Amino acid sequence: MNMARSKLLRPVLLVAFVGTLALALGGGANAALVKVGTLVLRADGSFKPTHLPRGSYAPIALFGRADITLTTGGPPPALQEVNLDFDRDGRLSTQGLPKCSLERIRTATTRQARNVCGDAIIGEGFVGAWFRDGETRVKGSAPATLFNGPRQNGDLTAIGHVFTDFPSPRTYAVLIPIEKTRGAYAYHAHLDVPQIADDGVLTHIDGKISRRYRYRGKDRSYVSAKCTAGVLRVHGHFQFADEDATIIDGSIEKPCYPESR
């Protein structure tokens, strides 16, 4: 990346934390709005419950939404890369959770993928995009699914899956590595956004991650959290494929309320 040609923005956005793989940003009245030139990113979300133990982990559900637009109208530049870092008070649990592989769903429709790997689903939502239809641009949307993936070099992974039949049938299945880290953040997730057919660009994503499952007689949650500092946070780094190689980089925070249990 040529930093001299990039527009780099580093705000601290004191709005709703949502914390989940590219996929778990959300919407609401207090949504964060970041504007770089004519490019606008709106993101917001929530997690439940907000009252959490101080010294142990409790299951949570994540909800989120993100929208990418231009103030001038029409399609924005293509989102090329997403990096997300998740709060050290969060934890991912996959012990005993079934896995899905790219090979099983690479060409599957949404219904087929959810039938084949239904026991590995960790989240569901929708994505939206602009497509080229002949000489015009049109908007479309499709269901999205997030699956628990196989470990890669010892790290967790997730698989993002979307099938659309507009403007022509096509499946998008992407492996998302989730690396365990140290310091202020516990996990780092990386997503190379696939090229969308027919000169398409991603403009919207929403979703919910709330997978609960049972293993060896115990109830488990894919995502859990505790509250030691009064906030949970996620850091995002979004790179776009425009001529300026625009980058939007910042942190989102949401209060949590510690309980002594």
Side-chain angles (χ1 to χ4, degrees):
M1 178 183 63
N2 185 349
M3 291 299 293
R5 297 177 58 239
S6 300
K7 299 176 182 176
L8 182 60
L9 182 65
R10 295 185 178 275
V12 176
L13 307 172
L14 299 179
V15 293
F17 164 84
V18 66
T20 184
L21 306 179
L23 289 173
L25 293 172
N30 296 320
L33 187 152
V34 183
K35 184 171 177 286
V36 182
T38 60
L39 178 64
V40 178
L41 172 66
R42 292 179 177 86
D44 193 18
S46 62
F47 62 92
K48 294 181 180 180
T50 56
H51 290 76
L52 296 167
R54 187 187 299 272
S56 60
Y57 292 93
I60 62 172
L62 302 173
F63 308 86
R65 178 188 183 96
D67 291 281
I68 304 167
T69 60
L70 287 182
T71 58
T72 55
L79 180 60
Q80 188 174 52
E81 182 180 307
V82 176
N83 289 277
L84 296 174
D85 298 296
F86 304 109
D87 196 281
R88 63 183 178 184
D89 274 355
R91 183 179 68 178
L92 300 181
S93 175
T94 62
Q95 186 178 20
L97 182 62
K99 302 177 181 65
C100 186
S101 66
L102 275 175
E103 291 70 23
R104 298 180 69 187
I105 59 174
R106 193 184 298 275
T107 61
T109 66
T110 300
R111 178 179 293 182
Q112 289 169 343
R114 291 179 178 180
N115 284 340
V116 169
C117 288
D119 55 359
I121 293 175
I122 54 177
E124 297 182 12
F126 284 87
V127 297
W130 281 90
F131 296 95
R132 184 178 296 282
D133 185 19
E135 298 300 316
T136 62
R137 289 274 197 171
V138 295
K139 291 182 178 179
S141 65
T145 314
L146 195 65
F147 298 93
N148 180 41
R151 284 188 177 266
Q152 187 179 71
N153 299 322
D155 294 324
L156 300 176
T157 69
I159 297 175
H161 179 277
V162 176
F163 171 82
T164 178
D165 55 8
F166 182 85
S168 59
R170 182 159 178 172
T171 299
Y172 301 90
V174 183
L175 186 72
I176 305 168
I178 306 171
E179 179 185 2
K180 196 166 178 52
T181 58
R182 295 184 178 183
Y185 299 99
Y187 300 94
H188 174 82
H190 173 83
L191 170 64
D192 290 315
V193 181
Q195 176 64 47
I196 301 177
D198 299 291
D199 200 22
V201 292
L202 185 69
T203 59
H204 168 86
I205 184 168
D206 67 68
K208 171 184 178 181
I209 294 180
S210 59
R211 177 62 192 273
R212 305 284 184 90
Y213 65 102
R214 193 167 180 81
Y215 179 64
R216 291 184 175 176
K218 293 182 62 177
D219 292 326
R220 299 174 183 264
S221 175
Y222 178 73
V223 184
S224 301
K226 59 183 179 178
C227 183
T228 61
V231 296
L232 295 177
R233 64 176 57 86
V234 61
H235 171 261
H237 183 95
F238 304 85
Q239 182 171 334
F240 294 83
D242 56 357
E243 62 180 13
D244 294 311
T246 299
I247 291 171
I248 294 177
D249 185 294
S251 300
I252 297 175
E253 297 183 353
K254 168 89 176 182
C256 61
Y257 306 96
E259 296 179 337
S260 55
R261 61 183 171 96

